[in-house]
Amino acid sequence: MKIIKNYLYNAGYQLLAIIVPFITMPYVSRVLRPIGVGDSSYTNSIIQYFVLIASVGVGYYGNREIAYLRENKYEMSKAFWEIQIVKTVTTVISYILFVLFLSWYNQYNIYLWVQSLNIVAVAFDISWLYMGVENFKPTVVRNTIFKILSTIMIFVFVKNHNDVTIYILITALSVLLGNMILWPSIRDMLVRVKLKDLKPFKHFMPTVALFIPQAAIQVYVQLNKTMLGIFVGTTASGFYQYSDNLVKMIMTIVTATGTVMLPHVSNAFAKGDHKKVNELLNNSFDFVSFIAIPMAFGLAGISLHIAPFFYGKGYGPVGEAMLIESVVIIIIGWSNVIGTQYLLPVNRVKEFTNSVLLGAIVNIILNIPFIYLWGLKGAMMATVISEFAVTFYQLYKVRKDVEFKNMFSNVPKYIISGIIMFIPVFYLDNTLRTNVITLAIEILLGIVLYVVMIFILKPTILVKAKQMIEQRRK
């Protein structure tokens, strides 16, 4: 039941993470206009490379190490301080590199200096400690508070297209202060550690090993925006960002299972319970498929008209980009299960690294010709193909360890249900005039059709859900 509780905490926050942008994005897109949104997106894509260097691979590595050692409070406390020292050093190095970069790059300097607060924020991020001990409540509460505060500040202080700097400052400060607020609570979680016992740099190479896949992921997450900004213009970078925002907002509910399951699977693996590891993998894959497939078909169904309705005039290209990108909700959902919930917890880092390196290589190879030929749509197609390459490679690597027949047994039923849902929703979206009422009708119709089809086709997830309810009652 702890897994369910943590998933609900995490999914609850992810739901808030969806609701808040739905409130702020229509306002920001209209106030800052496409050029302001593009400038913010482009400069953030640059700063994320330095954020990546600062954080090394601590997010995954720290989470996993704490999960391994949480039964021994002294060893866990020692590991925490050792890893944190490494991250502080890498943050300082990253900021120095950023300053050197600005001595060479003379565009958007004010925006980049303000964005650099995101680099500083990395040093204070200890969410991996809470995730490792499977205590998700503090991070969820913290993020909820600062999401709400930053939303209020955006409406109060961002008033016109000249307020791009203020917008960047608010979003960056919310990250920094959100990270800092977690520190007081560690007194109850850790014990005092002798300074002579600390050996921080033994963690450096393992974090670098996990830094490589994270760097590769950033290549095909951020490089698209950077290259669009260079070759097409920052406005196209903003369109990509806004399409990606809506897709990723929905996808966070799907990938919330990865954050919850990683420490749980790591702990089961550390105890040698391989049967439980595989059972968790199969259940998680089925659950992710159950929610990812309708979300992908549903978003595709309303994508063409929700973007200009949501963001305002001038944002039509975002809808076309979303139609292409929506399939990654399924693809990334699956790679999140195989990679984050299986390969990383069982310490098969090399295979995980190779998968995302493959994705980065495919993205780099495709980006230049695709962006040259098709602009924004080309960048989206490169993204989809790159994510497919990652997932296909991971599935290939675990083919001898898991039974695909069990993992994919319900997927055809979910896809059939998704298609039955998509057809009438897409038809209505292209027939009716888009407004709040018609969108609500389309979404409600999609949900009803999918649920009805699930009860008709009867995938095994219904049996598992019934069993969980009965156990809960007992």
Side-chain angles (χ1 to χ4, degrees):
M1 296 309 296
K2 188 175 184 180
I3 296 176
I4 298 172
K5 183 179 178 182
N6 283 331
Y7 175 76
L8 290 175
Y9 267 126
N10 209 30
Y13 168 68
Q14 303 301 350
L15 186 61
L16 179 73
I18 292 173
I19 293 171
V20 168
F22 262 99
I23 298 171
T24 59
M25 278 186 186
Y27 176 77
V28 171
S29 63
R30 287 165 172 81
V31 171
L32 297 186
R33 302 174 187 173
I35 185 66
V37 169
D39 289 346
S40 174
S41 170
Y42 177 65
T43 54
N44 185 258
S45 75
I46 293 173
I47 217 70
Q48 287 305 314
Y49 300 120
F50 297 98
V51 168
L52 179 66
I53 295 169
S55 57
V56 226
V58 166
Y60 287 142
Y61 178 76
N63 185 337
R64 191 185 68 189
E65 288 302 299
I66 295 299
Y68 283 161
L69 300 170
R70 67 189 186 201
E71 312 295 337
N72 185 325
K73 206 162 187 178
Y74 185 83
E75 288 300 318
M76 184 186 78
S77 301
K78 186 160 76 76
F80 167 78
W81 288 113
E82 289 170 343
I83 295 168
Q84 184 58 32
I85 289 169
V86 170
K87 188 151 69 80
T88 302
V89 171
T90 55
T91 301
V92 172
I93 292 170
S94 179
Y95 206 88
I96 292 170
L97 291 172
F98 168 72
V99 174
L100 292 174
F101 169 76
L102 279 192
S103 67
W104 166 78
Y105 189 77
N106 295 316
Q107 298 181 56
Y108 307 103
N109 277 17
I110 294 175
Y111 296 160
L112 286 167
W113 275 115
V114 180
Q115 293 272 20
S116 72
L117 286 172
N118 288 290
I119 305 173
V120 179
V122 173
F124 296 95
D125 182 12
I126 54 170
S127 57
W128 48 275
L129 169 65
Y130 290 86
M131 293 174 185
V133 297
E134 296 190 73
N135 183 12
F136 286 77
K137 185 177 178 179
T139 56
V140 169
V141 171
R142 172 205 74 174
N143 287 326
T144 299
I145 291 170
F146 281 94
K147 281 282 183 188
I148 294 170
L149 287 176
S150 63
T151 299
I152 295 170
M153 292 177 70
I154 285 170
F155 282 112
V156 171
F157 296 107
V158 180
K159 294 295 185 182
N160 58 60
H161 66 279
N162 294 316
D163 291 337
V164 176
T165 304
I166 296 173
Y167 173 71
I168 294 172
L169 178 63
I170 291 170
T171 54
L173 274 177
S174 69
V175 176
L176 175 60
L177 296 176
N179 289 346
M180 293 174 70
I181 203 172
L182 279 180
W183 278 83
S185 300
I186 67 172
R187 290 176 298 180
D188 301 324
M189 301 171 63
L190 306 175
V191 297
R192 190 178 296 273
V193 176
K194 295 177 182 177
L195 193 60
K196 65 177 183 178
D197 288 345
L198 295 177
K199 296 178 175 61
F201 295 103
K202 72 178 182 181
H203 297 281
F204 182 70
M205 289 311 297
T207 58
V208 169
L210 283 172
F211 166 77
I212 294 170
Q214 285 187 305
I217 290 169
Q218 286 295 338
V219 165
Y220 59 90
V221 168
Q222 301 299 334
L223 187 61
N224 293 325
K225 290 184 286 185
T226 306
M227 291 181 71
L228 279 168
I230 294 170
F231 296 133
V232 182
T234 58
T235 300
S237 179
F239 288 155
Y240 182 98
Q241 175 71 52
Y242 267 29
S243 170
D244 201 50
N245 279 351
L246 275 176
V247 172
K248 294 293 171 63
M249 279 192 300
I250 292 171
M251 197 165 62
T252 49
I253 296 178
V254 177
T255 56
T257 57
T259 308
V260 173
M261 294 299 292
L262 191 153
H264 197 73
V265 175
S266 297
N267 192 250
F269 178 72
K271 293 176 179 177
D273 194 346
H274 298 287
K275 183 180 178 181
K276 185 176 181 181
V277 169
N278 281 294
E279 182 185 340
L280 289 169
L281 176 68
N282 285 330
N283 289 340
S284 185
F285 191 90
D286 188 45
F287 177 71
V288 164
S289 300
F290 170 69
I291 60 175
I293 290 171
M295 286 181 175
F297 279 109
L299 182 62
I302 62 174
S303 59
L304 291 180
H305 295 95
I306 193 174
F309 170 76
F310 187 65
Y311 293 124
K313 291 182 179 179
Y315 288 90
V318 176
E320 297 171 356
M322 282 171 56
L323 181 61
I324 299 169
E325 192 185 8
S326 57
V327 70
V328 304
I329 295 173
I330 303 169
I331 300 171
I332 293 179
W334 286 349
S335 67
N336 182 265
V337 175
I338 304 298
T340 307
Q341 300 180 38
Y342 183 73
L343 292 177
L344 286 183
V346 302
N347 208 22
R348 291 169 64 173
V349 177
K350 183 179 178 181
E351 288 152 303
F352 179 76
T353 301
N354 289 342
S355 72
V356 291
L357 282 174
L358 175 64
I361 292 168
V362 170
N363 190 262
I364 292 169
I365 292 171
L366 296 180
N367 248 340
I368 294 176
F370 277 34
I371 289 175
Y372 177 77
L373 291 170
W374 300 295
L376 175 64
K377 293 178 184 177
M380 283 304 173
M381 287 187 282
T383 297
V384 171
I385 296 170
S386 301
E387 294 293 356
F388 178 79
V390 173
T391 303
F392 181 83
Y393 181 88
Q394 289 180 354
L395 287 169
Y396 177 77
K397 283 297 179 181
V398 301
R399 69 193 185 283
K400 296 179 181 178
D401 307 296
V402 299
E403 288 191 32
F404 285 160
K405 185 178 180 181
N406 291 336
M407 284 179 61
F408 285 92
S409 62
N410 293 314
V411 169
K413 296 178 181 180
Y414 301 145
I415 291 176
I416 291 169
S417 302
I419 292 171
I420 296 296
M421 172 188 73
F422 169 79
I423 294 171
V425 169
F426 188 75
Y427 173 78
L428 287 176
D429 190 62
N430 286 277
T431 304
L432 301 176
R433 183 176 180 180
T434 305
N435 55 50
V436 175
I437 295 173
T438 56
L439 276 174
I441 291 171
E442 290 165 18
I443 292 169
L444 184 61
L445 175 64
I447 293 170
V448 170
L449 286 173
Y450 185 76
V451 171
V452 168
M453 287 305 301
I454 288 297
F455 277 103
I456 291 172
L457 297 175
K458 292 182 171 60
T460 56
I461 197 168
L462 294 178
V463 177
K464 293 173 185 175
K466 185 178 179 181
Q467 290 172 349
M468 289 172 59
I469 293 170
E470 289 174 352
Q471 288 176 2
R472 183 73 173 175
R473 286 173 179 172
K474 292 178 181 178

